[in-house]
Amino acid sequence: MNLSQSSQAPAYWIVVPAAGVGARMGADCPKQYLPLVGRRVIEHTLERLLTLPNIAGIYLVLGVDDTYWNDLPLAQNNRIRRVAGGAERCGSVLNALEQLHEIALPDDWVLVHDAARPCIHIQSILHLIEQVKIHPVGGILGVPVSDTLKQVNDSVIDSTVDRCLLWQAQTPQMFRFGLLRDCLKRGLIEGKLITDESSALESYGYRPLMVQGRSDNIKITRPEDLAIAAMLLQQV
């Protein structure tokens, strides 16, 4: 699939939020810098994203006190631009969009992908782009929930939740630059609960498309996730 730009075609940009500290990992460095199969988690993620055809650029959002990134070889890659992160994920993504505002057009596409999802398959991203490129709002990767879900109150099960209509959201999440920027800015000003980019748009009545991805597109959150990611990466 050719994502090349023309006078009619929008550009495709990638934003990678990586300003978090990963408190649930209990590690001595942010989880995106933990070693994983000979590299750091963030290196696996970015190396995969860099193989996408004709991406206009990658905006990497890092903590203002990040002292790890500059020691990595990828820090010298001129396709990756460093951006200072915000207090929360939504603020970090908005910081990247504000810098991107200097060169991006409102109808350009932005794909936001978690730094802690190093097992993403490029074919999944290309499938997302193909499905979403003519959608009026945008869309995200996700998978149907397979486990039985329980509603719990103070460690006691109240009920079993019907999972038939439930999906687990993943990244990338792909939206028009102008629409995503406007919804994030407005949502932050109005104090909306923004847990991902899709939720920012949903809060203003937009209905993004859900595109089925793969269950192995895991997000590294807890120590055991590293072992799972290592196994997945070594199978490729």
Side-chain angles (χ1 to χ4, degrees), residues 18 22 34 36 40 44 48 50 69 105 113-114 117 122 125 132-134 148-149 171 192-193 206 212 226 230 234:
L34 290 172
L36 177 64
R40 304 291 174 171
H44 286 285
R48 291 196 172 198
L50 284 165
W69 171 248
L105 298 176
H113 184 65
D114 299 324
R117 289 188 188 271
I122 294 305
I125 303 178
V132 172
K133 67 181 182 181
I134 60 172
T148 298
L149 299 177
T171 66
K192 298 281 190 182
L193 177 62
Y206 295 101
Q212 184 157 352
L226 275 175
Q234 289 172 326

Side-chain angles (χ1 to χ4, degrees), residues 214-226:
R214 296 171 53 115
S215 59
D216 57 3
N217 181 20
I218 66 169
K219 184 177 182 180
I220 294 176
T221 304
R222 296 177 175 83
E224 60 267 27
D225 297 330
L226 275 175

Side-chain angles (χ1 to χ4, degrees), residues 37-196:
V37 193
R39 293 183 179 87
R40 304 291 174 171
V41 169
I42 196 171
E43 291 181 284
H44 286 285
T45 302
L46 290 171
E47 285 171 2
R48 291 196 172 198
L49 295 176
L50 284 165
T51 66
L52 283 166
N54 299 315
I55 290 297
I58 297 177
Y59 280 60
L60 176 64
V61 192
L62 300 173
V64 293
D65 297 324
D66 186 300
T67 59
Y68 301 92
W69 171 248
N70 287 338
D71 292 332
L72 301 182
L74 279 176
Q76 307 306 315
N77 191 305
N78 59 14
R79 296 178 62 195
I80 302 174
R81 180 170 179 177
R82 178 173 179 168
V83 180
E88 302 290 342
R89 175 200 170 94
C90 54
S92 291
V93 173
L94 182 58
N95 284 357
L97 298 183
E98 293 292 11
Q99 288 209 19
L100 191 52
H101 181 60
E102 301 171 4
I103 52 176
L105 298 176
D107 284 341
D108 284 353
W109 288 107
V110 176
L111 292 93
V112 182
H113 184 65
D114 299 324
R117 289 188 188 271
C119 300
I120 180 66
H121 284 254
I122 294 305
Q123 287 303 317
S124 293
I125 303 178
L126 295 177
H127 179 57
L128 173 69
I129 292 171
E130 186 66 27
Q131 294 299 308
V132 172
K133 67 181 182 181
I134 60 172
H135 193 272
V137 177
I140 74 173
L141 285 180
V143 290
V145 170
S146 58
D147 293 327
T148 298
L149 299 177
K150 303 293 185 180
Q151 183 169 315
V152 177
N153 183 16
D154 195 23
S155 299
V156 175
I157 296 173
D158 282 339
S159 63
T160 299
V161 179
D162 184 0
R163 69 187 181 203
C164 292
L165 300 178
L166 299 179
W167 285 59
Q168 179 179 334
Q170 299 180 342
T171 66
Q173 302 197 358
M174 175 176 161
F175 298 103
R176 296 285 185 184
F177 166 74
L179 180 60
L180 178 58
R181 177 172 173 261
D182 290 347
C183 287
L184 282 174
K185 287 183 71 172
R186 185 177 167 190
L188 283 170
I189 291 171
E190 298 177 0
K192 298 281 190 182
L193 177 62
I194 302 175
T195 56
D196 64 356

